[in-house]
Amino acid sequence: MLVPAALLCLAEGLFGIGFAVVAATDFHPDRAVVTVGTVVTMLVYGVALVLAARGLRQQRGWARSVAVCAQLLHLPIAWSFVNGAGMGAELAPVLAGLTLAVVSIVVLVCVFWPSSTRAFADPNGPAGQH
């Protein structure tokens, strides 16, 4: 179950990096601090998720922690997209929020699946070789 979790974390990380690139191309001097802050934050966040995806594939315990924390951060963000849209709002934020919620829940289920927990707890497996 770690492969699907790793693939979804990779997709989230690449999305974050892509968001950073798009934000960097939308630079306005009057919003320089906000733009730079957004770019740096999303770039670091995206790279962290890509590294976590790699770590999940290698059954590294730290990667599970990063993946779980990221997914727990994503759930209230997804809720705000869905709940904040209100009646008559555009469909895109609602779909984005629902997609983020589903992906986050799937990753959480995958990393806490019994076989995944055993893989991280196995002292003879890759996770034990630090």
Side-chain angles (χ1 to χ4, degrees), residues 7-54:
L7 290 173
L8 290 172
C9 279
L10 177 63
E12 290 172 333
L14 293 175
F15 185 85
I17 292 168
F19 188 91
V21 170
V22 170
T25 62
D26 189 31
F27 185 83
H28 297 284
D30 56 327
R31 299 182 323 192
V33 174
V34 173
T35 301
V36 170
T38 300
V39 169
V40 170
T41 300
M42 291 308 295
L43 191 59
V44 169
Y45 193 68
V47 169
L49 281 168
V50 168
L51 292 174
R54 184 172 183 258

Side-chain angles (χ1 to χ4, degrees), residues 28-126:
H28 297 284
D30 56 327
R31 299 182 323 192
V33 174
V34 173
T35 301
V36 170
T38 300
V39 169
V40 170
T41 300
M42 291 308 295
L43 191 59
V44 169
Y45 193 68
V47 169
L49 281 168
V50 168
L51 292 174
R54 184 172 183 258
L56 286 173
R57 283 289 288 141
Q58 297 173 344
Q59 299 174 4
R60 303 289 183 205
W62 64 266
R64 184 182 194 190
S65 301
V66 172
V68 168
C69 287
Q71 304 321 308
L72 292 177
L73 285 171
H74 293 169
L75 289 173
I77 294 169
W79 175 255
S80 70
F81 272 59
V82 173
N83 193 40
M87 296 299 290
E90 292 184 29
L91 189 58
V94 174
L95 292 177
L98 290 174
T99 301
L100 182 59
V102 168
V103 167
S104 296
I105 291 168
V106 169
V107 171
L108 288 170
V109 167
C110 286
V111 298
F112 286 118
W113 200 259
S115 62
S116 298
T117 301
R118 281 191 301 275
F120 284 115
D122 183 10
N124 299 321

